[in-house]
Amino acid sequence: MDQEDQEMVVESPNKKFFILLLLLFFSYKISFAESRFGELTEMFDERMRGKDDQWVRPHPGPFVWNKIEKKQGNFSWQEADEYVVYAQEHNQIIIATIWPYANWEQKSCKRKKGRSPFGKRFAKYLSKPCSMDNYKTFLLALIDRYDGDGNNDMPELTKPIIYWEIMNEPEFKMFFKGNEDDFIEIFNFSSKLIKEKQKDSIIVMAGAAGMFPKNKKFWKSVLPKIKDNFDIANIHHISTPDGKCDKEFWVDEFSSLLKSLKIKKPIWLTEAMTGKCKVIPTYVKAFANGAELIVDVGINAPGMKMSKKSRKKLNQFIEDFDGFTSMKIISKNKAEFKYKNGSTKLLSF
């Protein structure tokens, strides 16, 4: 019997979901739903639309400048609205990734084309905007539509977008064709503008693409220059093609990096791919090392797929243990989860 096949021991009789806003750690007044789980989503794939009552991170998602403002001054909200409406209907909370790229805008100063993994549905150019004023116009329109302030909102908006992730894995050229200073300028500019426009917004750091030496070097340089402009630290874990993985989803090393830079922020893991790692032990160790939220890459994500057996175990783990307020590993293969009502549950893994 392997680790994952061991029985889950649940000591609290009933599972309770509360989708509430509550205070997070480190004295930040941050809204945080009780669910500790989420998925990357794509509306065109019925199996990738996320679960009810959980977090969703559309990826690449519809919040791409090139999708919304295809021509200067002409805004198309249909695709973005579709994600928001679905999330409202299924009580999901969106983490919206902002991509600051528009073909027409980057052509205006003859930027060189990039090559993203998202194909024709994305943008052909991945550089810093030619004009930050042009980008500002788009960004203000985006926030204005989904901030829930009653002015210029999406029709029938009932669940505003509060969580904004500015860009994605900028240390990789397939997501951003620019240098560190370009990224820092875009990130800080965007964060300050969003905070000014939407006072209750929560800014999520662009996800770090793991903790390989290249990633650490990039973020060790960049983080001190953006630390005052994000609320949530963000790490990704994508296994290598052969399935190699980190047994804590990099959370331990990412946490150490933040501490070395004297940055105290909640940690979210917004892309989790298990590879050949055991799913339950890896999730447990990531939570124990400081992850507040873990977002699975989804059942049809590119790369190594989670087995049906592991997927079933993950779903059962979520059903049995979601909503915890704290957890800790109490022995080699046992973890304790505590809940808002004072109850506890034990997991043998």
Side-chain angles (χ1 to χ4, degrees), residues 233-245:
N234 187 10
I235 182 71
H236 292 168
H237 179 277
I238 301 297
S239 59
T240 58
D242 63 358
K244 187 178 180 180
C245 59

Side-chain angles (χ1 to χ4, degrees), residues 59-78:
H59 191 64
F63 308 104
V64 183
W65 186 4
N66 192 59
K67 289 185 177 183
I68 292 172
E69 191 181 8
K70 296 179 180 179
K71 295 182 180 180
Q72 188 170 16
N74 294 330
F75 294 87
S76 174
W77 301 104
Q78 182 177 352

